[in-house]
Amino acid sequence: MAGINEVNRNESKMVVPLNTWVLISNFKLAYNLLRRPDGTFNRHLAEFLDRKVPANATPVDGVFSFDVFINRSTSLLSRIYRPAHGEEPQINIADLEKPVTAEVVPVIIFFHGGSFAHSSANSTIYDTLCRRLVGICKAVVVSVNYRRAPENRYPCAYDDGWAALNWVNSRTWLQSKDSKVHIYLAGDSSGGNIVHHVALQAVESNIEVLGNILLNPMFGGEERTESEKRFDGKYFVTIRDRDWYWRAFLPEGEDRDHPACNPFGPKGKILEGIKFPKSLVVVAGLDLIQDWQLDYVKGLEKAGQKVKLLYLEKATIGFYLLPNNNHFYTVMDEISAFVDSNC
Amino acid sequence: MSLYSSCTSAASSAGSSVSSTTKTSEIDCLLAGAGYRVRSSDLRHVAQRLERLDAAMVNSPAEVSQLASDVVHYNPSDIASWVDSLLSEFNQTASLPSDLPELPELVVGPVLNQTVLAEDAWTDHDAPQHQQLNNQFPVMTAMEEDSGIRLVHVLLTCAESVQRGDLAFAGSLIEDMQSLLARVNTSCGIGKVAGYFIDALSLRIFTPQGVGFGGGVGLDAAYENEVLYHHFYEACPYLKFAHFTANQAILEAFDGHDCVHVVDFNLMHGLQWPALIQALALRPGGPPALRLTGIGPPSPDGRDSLREVGLRLSELARSVNVLFSFRGVAASRLEDVKPWMLQVRPKEAVAVNSIMQLHRLLGSEPSRNSPMEMVLGWIRNLNPKIMTVIEQEANHNQPGFLDRFTEALYYYSTMFDSLEACTLQPEKALAEIYIQREICNVVCCEGSARVERHEPLAKWRVRLGQAGFRPLHLGSNAFKQASMLLTLFSAEGYCVEEKEGCLTLGWHSRPLIAASAWEALALPDANSPATAPGIFVNPHSNPPVNSL
């Protein structure tokens, strides 16, 4: 057993830069400590280990941020990132919610990853990622601090996403010149999963979402797919840990064919004929759940929905966290084009 | 194979000179952007250690659960040391219960071992909504929201006029603001905070300079301040967190010492010390002999309030069989205290405890032999086992008035927001007055009258590093206990965060108070081995307004 793992470790080291390997391995080992076999989660240690940054109303590289309540009674917070204009050295408290000025301003509602259990909107890695999104898309980014599993199971994360969508949609200061808020949904890992489900709800309630961006989205199912068997334990992720997170998120007693996990599975919803947003789905070629992600793309295509698949053969999970590889820049360009084209 | 090599950046210390014991080091700046600190030259080594740890964890799954539950983790930003500390756990044979004494349940409330308090206690918003302590946020009408925003606009314009010296115009704005105030709800939210800031600005504009506000100058003010402090202590968890965290660190530092001496820079009612006395009483192997030196302002009308507090603490110590002696040192200002007054003895382990006192030493202009340098100098010469420093996490000592004002507006808005959840009266009302006095001092005073010169943790790190102190990291046990304390005693919304060995307590992701612990570096000596503490300054730190 140990021998196989050694091989696996060597494999993963060969496909990512050293600092990326250190970062993701650090996460992997830390997360191993946090997941208990009985399904509970060491939340205190998780919060202690997670690196966070406060919001910063002083523009850094042209972006400033501040935290707002989406819903005070559930303590649902979001971090808003905005581009700074002109040479203001510091944004006034009164200007945080100043109306956006450009003709069209995309507003990206972002759901961070963490397999539904880890990370927060103020995690450093996600703060960094959101700031970059502001720059490349000339957008306002709203990063939602949704409730996490196992303390809060399905559908809490989706409910929080839905609340955030409604909040964003009703902010006059986020409206473009046509008096509408131009909304995109984006997320990685569990965040990508949330994007799908919130978009679905948006369609059912007639709120327009202009596009979905899913980065290594977290999907699954009861079946063990080829990619899961092939990549188990090879590139930082194991089937066992995926199973743990689904058990933590899904309602007790439900299996992985629950539509939250497997939207195009036996219990999934029919998407034919509805006006679902166009989707950009990024799949990493060394991600063990890629077969599920590819099934998701196929499912959208079969339902006549507009979807672009970006398959990155040699990419592992988390490749978008550090700007030190080709895949990172490819994806950022694609996202920028995706958010731009509609406007 | 990677086309993009890791970029590195030299960590630089703030502006001025670097202490001779620090080194600049090449830190991988991409990992820094993710919140981690690893020297580029160390990357390969760290990777190897990670591999080793991975293998160890795979081979002994039983140890893994122990790593999670019993081991204390420190400073996760420093991946190298974190991995090494976990690896060293695997080198131990049998599993050991923690040898370090923990604060007893009877004082703190939450029990510190897992069997009684379920491990899955929650933080922040993850907690199921059993109690809605903060459900009375009134819905603001659109007009109120507008008036609130206008108020803030005018406040900032007023502050800017004050900075420019145009007091006439600033004065006229006061009137405008007062009429705006009439249109918002002043019992909470922006209306309440704005009210206090308008008052503070009025005082500054209409009162001759040199009159101290909220500085606790004068004997009566000192007594009032004690009362207000006590209510602030009760109404919200900031001071409890400070005491709790400092005590845990002091307890650990005193481990193995039979004669210990705590120097408290601001005794007040001695609220911090019963818990430590009781913890020491329960120490395995028996309590040490404890001396406490409490510093505080002289008392009015012949009372000796320091001594009274000392007597009460003595009674408590006697009741739990801790050898205890107390000494009061009356001084109006910390810089008036001379080390000989503390009568530190040669063999005792000394802990210096400063809860929101050090910032008072910051004069307007840094100079040679400043009060700060002098005090830090004699503290270091005491060679304390530990110095606990708790300070407001804010940048209220900037030279520009507008910057200071804006920062204070943000900071105190957040603090008032957190106070909304408190339902205890009169604690809440008096706590607000306590905070209001701080606001007044920050806004109205200048020169030596302005004592509330808060600076952020990043600046304290540099200052204390240059003064010859090295950080002692506060670990996951202190973090967990602080988090549990909050979930049990306070409203949702408070959050503890770990930041490179220090802990901060904040309200909804804005840190408001920072706790850190320090030890004095060995004084430079020809015979001692070179120590390279490698004091890192996080190149990615986010002080609220200005950079270092």
Side-chain angles (χ1 to χ4, degrees), chain A residues 1-2 5-6 9-10 13-23 25-30 32-34 36-37 40-45 47-58 60 67 69 72-77 79 89-97 120 122 124-125 127-128 131 145-149 151-152 160 171 321-326 329, chain B residues 1-4 6-7 28 30-36 38 43-44 46-48 50-51 53-55 57-59 64 67-69 73-77 79 82-83 86 119-129 132 134 137 149 152-153 156 403 406 409-410 413 417 474-476 479-480 483-484 492 497-500 503 507-509 511 540 542-546:
Chain A
M1 194 56 194
N5 279 299
E6 218 166 282
R9 258 175 265 119
N10 286 334
K13 262 176 123 176
M14 301 204 305
V15 295
V16 293
L18 190 53
N19 49 5
T20 301
W21 193 91
V22 166
L23 181 69
S25 300
N26 180 60
F27 286 148
K28 177 180 104 174
L29 296 183
N32 287 348
L33 294 178
L34 302 173
R36 297 201 198 95
T40 58
F41 189 76
N42 193 337
R43 182 61 65 192
H44 290 297
L45 187 56
E47 293 303 298
F48 179 81
L49 295 176
D50 191 26
R51 310 289 80 210
K52 299 182 200 266
V53 288
N56 191 357
T58 302
V60 175
D67 295 335
F69 276 111
R72 257 188 198 264
S73 58
T74 61
S75 297
L76 179 60
L77 278 171
R79 180 162 290 180
Q90 183 199 333
I91 309 292
N92 281 329
I93 224 174
D95 291 336
L96 295 177
E97 298 185 6
S120 308
N122 61 344
T124 313
I125 49 172
D127 187 88
T128 301
R131 283 170 173 275
N145 200 40
Y146 59 89
R147 282 168 291 166
R148 299 164 299 186
E151 300 95 325
N152 301 281
D160 289 349
R171 296 304 105 185
L321 295 178
L322 298 183
N324 60 0
N325 58 86
N326 270 338
Y329 291 98
Chain B
M1 50 104 285
S2 72
L3 298 176
Y4 303 90
S6 325
C7 80
D28 183 289
L30 292 188
L31 286 180
Y36 293 97
V38 183
L43 270 176
R44 210 154 285 286
V46 171
Q48 279 166 9
L50 279 166
E51 278 184 310
L53 180 58
D54 191 6
M57 284 169 69
V58 163
N59 288 331
V64 173
L67 280 185
S69 53
H73 300 249
Y74 294 96
N75 195 9
S77 284
I79 298 183
W82 182 71
V83 174
L86 293 182
E119 271 285 310
D120 48 352
W122 309 288
T123 58
D124 297 329
H125 65 289
D126 282 318
Q129 309 299 319
Q132 295 290 342
N134 56 345
F137 292 109
I149 295 183
V152 172
H153 260 304
L156 295 174
D403 286 340
T406 310
L409 193 56
Y410 273 113
S413 296
D417 205 30
L474 302 172
S476 55
F479 178 94
K480 175 172 162 183
S483 299
M484 294 195 322
E492 280 184 38
E497 281 180 21
E498 191 278 350
K499 187 134 191 158
E500 292 164 69
L503 297 186
W507 176 252
H508 282 127
S509 86
H540 203 73
N542 283 322
V545 181
N546 290 330

Side-chain angles (χ1 to χ4, degrees), chain A residues 70 109 159-171 183 198 201 205 207:
Chain A
I70 301 279
I109 305 181
D159 289 346
D160 289 349
W162 175 238
L165 177 61
N166 277 291
W167 184 88
V168 166
N169 198 40
S170 60
R171 296 304 105 185
I183 299 175
V198 171
Q201 207 167 348
S205 316
I207 294 187

Side-chain angles (χ1 to χ4, degrees), chain B residues 329-393:
Chain B
V329 172
S332 317
R333 303 175 311 165
L334 192 52
E335 53 256 55
D336 295 335
V337 174
K338 302 288 172 244
W340 59 261
M341 299 174 186
L342 309 175
Q343 302 203 336
V344 169
R345 295 178 197 150
K347 291 278 197 289
E348 55 187 20
V350 175
V352 173
N353 183 74
S354 167
I355 311 262
M356 307 190 316
Q357 296 306 300
L358 285 186
H359 63 254
R360 304 170 85 89
L361 296 169
L362 290 169
S364 305
E365 313 99 42
S367 58
R368 295 214 81 198
N369 300 323
S370 62
M372 177 67 71
E373 272 185 39
M374 184 192 63
V375 171
L376 288 181
W378 66 246
I379 295 176
R380 190 190 171 184
N381 289 337
L382 288 181
N383 197 20
K385 201 83 192 6
I386 187 171
M387 173 173 66
T388 46
V389 175
I390 287 81
E391 285 285 329
Q392 289 90 334
E393 181 62 3

